[in-house]
Amino acid sequence: MERLCGPKLPFWEANQTFHTDSPDLPECFQLSVLSWLPCVYLWLACPPYLFYLQRNNMGYIMMSVLNRVKTVFALVLWIVCWTDLFGTFNELHQGHTQPPIYFVTPLVVGITMLLATFLIQFERLRGVQSSGILFIFWFLSVLCAIVPFRSKILQAKEDQNALRFITFYLYFTLVVSQLILCCFNEKPPLFSNVDTDPNPCPQSTAGFLSTMTFWWFTSMAIKGYKNPLEAKDLWSLNKRDSSEEVVPKLLREWDLEQIKDRSTQALYSKPPPARESNHVGGENSPEEVEVLLSKTKTHKKPSFLRSLIKAFGPYFLIGSAFKLLQDLITFVNPQLLSLLILFTKQKEAPTWWGYALAFLMFFTAFLQTLILHQHFQYCFVTGMRLRTSIIGAIYRKSLIITNAAKRTSTVGEIVNLMSVDAQRFMDLTTFLNMLWSAPLQIILALYFLWQNLGPSVLAGVAVMILLIPLNAAIAVRTRAYQVEQMQYKDTRIKLMNEILNGIKVLKLYAWENSFKDKVLEIRQKELNVLRKTAYLGALSTMAWTSAPFLVHTASILSLLYTIYHFSVLDGVSTLDKNNILDAEKAFVSLSLFNILRFPLNMLPQVISSVVQASVSLKRIQDFLSHEELDPESVDRNNTATGKHGCDSSVTVVNGKFTWAKQDPPALHNINLMVPQRSLLAVVGHVGCGKSSLVSALLGEMEKLEGHISIRGSVAYVPQQAWIQNATLRDNILFGKAYNEQKYRSCLEACALTPDLEVLPGGDLTEIGEKGINLSGGQRQRVSLARALYNEADVYLLDDPLSAVDSHVAKHIFDHVIGPEGALQGKTRILVTHGISFLPQVDNIMVMVEGRVSEMGSYQELLQQNGAFAEFLRNYSLEDIIEDEATGTTTCYYSREIQNLLSEVRSTADFLFHLVIISSLSGDVCAARGSTLSLTQRRNYPRWRNSSRQRPLRQVKSKVFWEYVKAVGPLLTLCICFLYGCQNAAAIGANIWLSQWTNDAAQNMTQENVSMRVGVYAALGITQGILVMVSSFTLAMGNIGAARKLHYALLDNKFHTPQSFFDTTPIGRVINRFSKDIYVIDEALPSTVLMFLGTFFSSLSTMIVIVASTPIFAVVIAPLTFIYVFVQRFYVATSRQLKRLESVTRSPIYSHFSETITGSSVIRAYGRHDAFVLMSDMKVDENQKSYYPGIVANRWLGVRIEFIGNCIVLFAALFAVIGKDNLNPGLVGLSVSYALLVTMSLNWMVRMTSDLESNIVAVERVKEYSETKIEAPWEVEDKKPSPDWPSQGKVEFLDYSVRYREGLDLVLKNLTLSVVGGEKIGIVGRTGAGKSSMTLCLFRLLEAAGGEITIDGVKISEIGLHDLRSKLTIIPQEPVLFSGSLRMNLDPFDKYNDGEVWKALELSHLNKFVSNQPAKLELECSEGGENLSVGQRQLVCLARALLRKTRILILDEATAAIDLETDDLIQSTIRTQFEDCTVFTIAHRLNTIMDYTRVLVLDKGQVAEFDTPSKLLSKRGIFYGMAKDAGLAQ
């Protein structure tokens, strides 16, 4: 530097700078280092920044006044610098030689100012509204100019160069002005979406300072504090974070990976040269594909991880850079603490040292805060983008995977991929940097500890290394327990889901106790695992709390041992000055060990998270690698011509199809040509492949051989109607534009107009999940109306008439499907079980075991006398209507059929018996199996029309008290006391350490050492034990509370009346058992643990600082006020954001499961893109509330940590002020505690908020544990005799009933008497009260007036189980539970195997069951999905046969099954229940024509009640119904 500054201007003078009360820096230092520092920064930052701006053009900003002023000031600065340069040249010219520094500095600074001017303009052209690079540059320039500013004032009296004096002050003024101007923002770029967006996120227009401190969020914090936030208050999502940008970015990378994978495959096998298709099998034959796939076993799969890194890595790296910076700054404060303690020792040191150190500590801590939160912001946003993109990718994939792939991933599993696995990635990104940051921090900490303690630190490191396997072992065990607990939880939720779905059946059979015990058994196992986890957790908390203490003690003991060992060897009585345990060594090493605590604890956790995420990664990768449906399998552009020259709409040639490649083919040798504008009926027995054929035509099956072509667009009506959770109108329009006239005619044709009058909001009524508030028939008609409105060319109708009344079926056939219907000009393929419509169709195709058995017109097939004629004969023989009075038989069938059949089989007997079977009658009502009356539908609860109510109030203290009661008030006090003791022990240990360090100063070290070590170790060990005991006690309290709360909820739900389940979506109840119980089991305990820990930690910090420097008490009040103020704002806003986030999260998953269920419909109608868009919108809506939640945490962090930094500042300042009265030990104690408090304060606010959010779960569970319950299950003093009812006599006396309070009566003043053994058929139009009547017998509905007696016993007086266990019902919808078949028949194990087999034999199931390897232990899947609907109905029959009570009720039991199964059930009931009283809600009238009497209900009253023959002769309502069904003329 001497060459630059010359001999007269020294670069450094210690006396002038340090050892003086008025410090100053030498001029050479000012002119070189201070002047060049900002310039070096700007030149280094410029290249990467210019590269970034070149890549990211955000638009163009118009030249504004602000921009002009900045530019002018920068140019003036350049002029000022060069004026200084020319002044120096002028002096040279006049003979005054100046050192080179006077030439170099103005030149360098001047050029840098030109660079700044260029940047100001370039940023404007690239749309930068606020420049961080320039802000830091101007800030550094001002900072570096402060010292020269002071120097020049001090030297003003001396003779100085006037020009240099003026130019410097001009320079200083302009730089300060530039810094101030830099705080203001430019206008947004032209044409940016800020102008068009109604509620843009202020972040996009926030300045650099606002971005660094998250000030732009303040407006939402204030809004959330004043009023509860609503969805409309949320800002729009930044475009760069939206699905629109993020998902395609990931999919692009993933596609590239897959393309790369295919090219690798190509290397392994040589496919045919002309291969352009992306789809497996595009132009290759299946065999070649098989070869291709089998040969590629060895090469690597496409890597989803690589795609994620390419898509989101660069953005994440910016966060990593911030983390690196923060790690380095972390270690500055312990060094400053060391200097501060040193300063308090040196009584003669200048006071400004202390102040400088105090402010440096504050500044360092503040800088660390800003940098850390920027790092977190980048990481969280990356996590958010990951989640969005993964959900988007999974959703898109799920719409196009094959059926084989669907089989390997259930809806629940795919929803899990979206929720759990995507969430894991999101959580991991937050701490992923710890993988390299933790080792770096550990290395740095050990380096500084070595500097401080020397080799003694190795003892501490040894302890640390010994603790690592302990922590690792705990982590491994905990992980294993978590997996086990998750399995139990899944089993419990699955069982609860089934119980709630079949709750009506459980109530009807009085099976609640059996299932309650099952749930409690699983729950007990779950709690046992939780208890084991709690043991480990307590151990882990002890290890984590005691680690720094143990390490510190080991290091100190090692240090002492070294000191005394060497001093004894040397025979020296006094100690070496460097080897004393003084305050500096003790407290600097303590603060370093505290820094070390975080990485040591985090590393195992991060590694375990990485392991979890890798499992998730594999699951997602496997799912995204599933095979996709081949869009080319159906040729949509065909121009096929039939044999008669007419064009065919649908052609299949030699078709061979399977559901999965590894399965045997489901359809063989299918040849089919459907001429345009014709109607083809497909008939056949259950399971012969009718629906499979429709699926094959839609391209849903794997095509093994052959060719399919369809001309034009397709509309599809599935067998089970798929209804969206949207309005009725939206369900019908299905994305098409609304046309009033066309829409009305569709409703009319599908017989929906009368239904609209019944629905509360007409066609704008919102349909609940899975069409819950529509009957089965209404659902099917809506599905049909959707197809009709869609105006396609080809209509595929998969048995749409089976779920509707016979007269409605006739109406629909006539007005929609039939030759005169709305679709008469279209090609229609109709799968049907109804025989009455077959004469009117153009062609009939008969299927047998996956093959086409016959095909032709109705007459042709009858004449062939093949499978079709057999099919007709089977289903026509049963329908006998004998008029007893006249002795004649009334036949109602076409002359044509009569003639044809007489030709086929000319037997007079056959004609005598022949009757055309009626089509299915009786709308299958699906509102959980109860027929809704008109009035009931009108008053149907409107839960579906409004979004769920969010509790907006603050959490009441009552809820906290409820939880305390569940834990136990005494135990709660005990826990708080233990936490207080553990913190007292920690303070005691540190105060003792502070006293100990003062011994060194008084030369008393040797005498007290054993006592000092003993007490210090005892206090530390006591603290460790107390930590463990308090953690464990807390965990036990929490588990006890979880058990009580779950039991109360479960018990209440089994006792809740059926009406509750009819009006509450199952999802909401399940949510209480899954999400809320999970929160109570796991989230709440850890929150309480953290809250108590941080609360007592913060409290002890304040106590220590006040005890050390009492004057600190003065600043506690204002700091506490600010703390509480910020905390109130945060908690209010954060709580609302969390609630909004959870409310917007469930629609993502419900929409997703809805989509998967209806994926074939969506594909058939070509609505793929629209649904993807809907899903993206729902995800974005969710992220709109998640993003402010992230920022709220950052906003809080910066403000709370600022308070923590102020505590550090004041603790250091007061230590400096009271330096004379304080010993170094107390200063070390006070400041090292202050350095710790920042984290505690921050976490305390977080935990307060989490506690408020999580305690809501207790409130929600409590709410559902206290709902109204039904009558007791058993009434001891009213128990009926064991053989009751012996006769089966049932009487209704003036009986009335309503569904719920406030609704109209469903049954009005019913009076009738049924003698034991009578067979009663109950008929009536939809909503007449048929099902209600049967529900009254079981007391699922309680009487509003009147009485029912069975064998003289009033059923309202006995217990519900005593009543229900003596009645038997075969319900409308067959409900099975997952478990063995035996459990489904006999959950209480009352009957022996012989009785069970007998029941199976009578219900025609024994052949099927005995063919199964597991026999009675045959595992039924959820809802009995692995059995056909008919088989499920037969299982219900077997249940009834097993119970064999005196009274049997059949509730439209055969509505959803084919004629064959119906036949079996009817014959069994006639023979096996001969002496029982049977009530049948008639579904096909022919089944009750031989009953003793028929009860006709109309509007809840008895309209007719007599024998069938008398009712027919009366020609009343019954006669009308029989006529509609074709049973009377």
Side-chain angles (χ1 to χ4, degrees), residues 760-804:
D763 65 346
L764 295 178
T765 304
E766 188 137 333
I767 309 303
E769 27 181 349
K770 296 180 186 168
I772 179 83
N773 44 334
L774 294 180
S775 73
Q778 286 169 328
R779 288 204 290 262
Q780 197 58 277
R781 299 204 300 276
V782 169
S783 180
L784 200 60
R786 176 193 297 154
L788 182 55
Y789 191 86
N790 210 50
E791 286 199 331
D793 301 312
V794 176
Y795 281 78
L796 303 175
L797 311 169
D798 192 354
D799 202 11
L801 302 176
S802 64
V804 293

Side-chain angles (χ1 to χ4, degrees), residues 184-419:
F184 295 100
N185 274 16
E186 292 285 357
K187 289 179 187 146
L190 291 174
F191 315 116
S192 70
N193 60 350
V194 176
D195 308 324
T196 52
D197 200 325
N199 196 4
C201 179
Q203 185 189 9
S204 51
T205 54
F208 175 70
L209 273 183
S210 176
T211 305
M212 289 304 284
T213 57
F214 298 94
W215 184 259
W216 55 271
F217 179 78
T218 309
S219 60
M220 184 171 279
I222 293 169
K223 190 181 274 184
Y225 178 68
K226 286 182 178 168
N227 297 304
L229 289 174
E230 291 175 34
K232 65 175 190 307
D233 299 322
L234 299 175
W235 299 313
S236 303
L237 203 58
N238 290 323
K239 192 146 180 13
R240 57 180 178 270
D241 299 328
S242 66
S243 301
E244 187 189 342
E245 294 253 325
V246 173
V247 184
K249 191 190 279 186
L250 176 66
L251 289 177
R252 260 197 312 276
E253 297 299 341
W254 176 239
D255 287 345
L256 286 172
E257 276 293 315
Q258 288 183 304
I259 289 166
K260 206 190 299 175
D261 174 54
R262 289 197 197 105
S263 59
T264 319
Q265 284 189 20
L267 291 174
Y268 282 87
S269 65
K270 293 192 172 92
R275 173 170 164 79
E276 292 167 14
S277 165
N278 273 344
H279 298 279
V280 175
E283 279 140 33
N284 306 358
S285 70
E287 289 79 12
E288 284 168 322
V289 174
E290 299 267 314
V291 173
L292 194 88
L293 290 172
S294 63
K295 285 190 182 174
T296 55
K297 292 278 192 286
T298 48
H299 84 280
K300 282 184 175 176
K301 286 181 178 177
S303 163
F304 186 60
L305 179 64
R306 207 174 303 134
S307 310
L308 287 175
I309 292 169
K310 283 180 184 168
F312 306 110
Y315 184 82
F316 184 71
L317 280 176
I318 303 173
S320 306
F322 277 116
K323 180 67 179 151
L324 178 64
L325 208 55
Q326 190 258 341
D327 284 352
L328 298 174
I329 297 173
T330 306
F331 290 95
V332 175
N333 267 337
Q335 305 313 310
L336 294 174
L337 173 64
S338 163
L339 292 170
L340 187 68
I341 294 172
L342 207 62
F343 163 78
T344 50
K345 280 186 187 170
Q346 298 175 355
K347 301 297 177 193
E348 69 289 343
T351 319
W352 69 266
W353 279 21
Y355 292 125
L357 285 170
F359 279 102
L360 262 175
M361 284 180 107
F362 171 74
F363 180 72
T364 311
F366 185 59
L367 192 62
Q368 196 183 330
T369 295
L370 292 182
I371 291 171
L372 177 67
H373 288 290
Q374 283 306 313
H375 153 250
F376 274 136
Q377 177 70 0
Y378 275 93
C379 291
F380 272 104
V381 171
T382 308
M384 185 174 108
R385 289 177 183 177
L386 274 178
R387 176 171 176 254
T388 301
S389 59
I390 290 172
I391 289 178
I394 291 170
Y395 185 87
R396 284 158 175 77
K397 183 75 179 183
S398 66
L399 279 173
I400 50 173
I401 56 171
T402 59
N403 281 292
K406 235 181 221 176
R407 212 176 287 173
T408 58
S409 311
T410 63
V411 178
E413 280 170 6
I414 306 175
V415 170
N416 256 353
L417 287 181
M418 277 189 155
S419 52

Side-chain angles (χ1 to χ4, degrees), residues 675-681 819 824 826 828 837-844 856-860:
Q676 283 191 342
R677 295 182 290 283
S678 69
L679 167 55
L680 168 76
Q824 56 186 344
K826 310 282 186 182
R828 292 141 291 159
F837 306 120
L838 296 182
Q840 300 180 56
V841 305
D842 298 324
N843 282 304
I844 298 172
S857 68
Y858 189 74
Q859 288 88 338
E860 288 167 15

Side-chain angles (χ1 to χ4, degrees), residues 1332-1443:
S1332 312
M1333 188 172 159
T1334 57
L1335 296 180
C1336 297
L1337 282 170
F1338 287 88
R1339 282 178 64 192
L1340 281 191
L1341 296 177
E1342 293 287 4
E1347 197 66 69
I1348 299 177
T1349 61
I1350 297 177
D1351 280 4
V1353 175
K1354 291 182 178 178
I1355 65 167
S1356 58
E1357 292 178 356
I1358 59 175
L1360 292 179
H1361 277 187
D1362 290 334
L1363 168 68
R1364 291 168 184 171
S1365 59
K1366 301 294 181 159
L1367 307 175
T1368 302
I1369 186 166
I1370 301 180
Q1372 184 179 30
E1373 289 179 350
V1375 176
L1376 265 64
F1377 301 94
S1378 58
S1380 68
L1381 181 67
R1382 197 185 197 302
M1383 186 281 298
N1384 268 292
L1385 293 169
D1386 174 27
F1388 290 102
D1389 285 333
K1390 274 188 187 172
Y1391 307 98
N1392 60 37
D1393 282 6
E1395 291 170 299
V1396 175
W1397 277 110
K1398 179 80 178 134
L1400 288 173
E1401 186 185 332
L1402 292 169
S1403 58
H1404 308 277
L1405 270 173
N1406 58 332
K1407 188 178 169 194
F1408 166 73
V1409 178
S1410 52
N1411 285 342
Q1412 301 295 324
K1415 303 282 192 288
L1416 288 178
E1417 295 307 311
L1418 165 71
E1419 200 58 33
C1420 298
S1421 62
E1422 194 172 341
E1425 288 295 322
N1426 54 344
L1427 301 180
S1428 74
V1429 179
Q1431 286 167 332
R1432 277 179 255 166
Q1433 198 75 61
L1434 293 175
V1435 171
C1436 291
L1437 176 62
R1439 280 180 192 160
L1441 289 161
L1442 207 52
R1443 281 164 75 106

Side-chain angles (χ1 to χ4, degrees), residues 1197-1218:
V1198 170
R1199 277 143 195 77
I1200 294 293
E1201 286 181 29
F1202 180 74
I1203 295 171
N1205 300 338
C1206 287
I1207 293 174
V1208 173
L1209 172 68
F1210 288 120
L1213 273 180
F1214 295 141
V1216 172
I1217 293 166

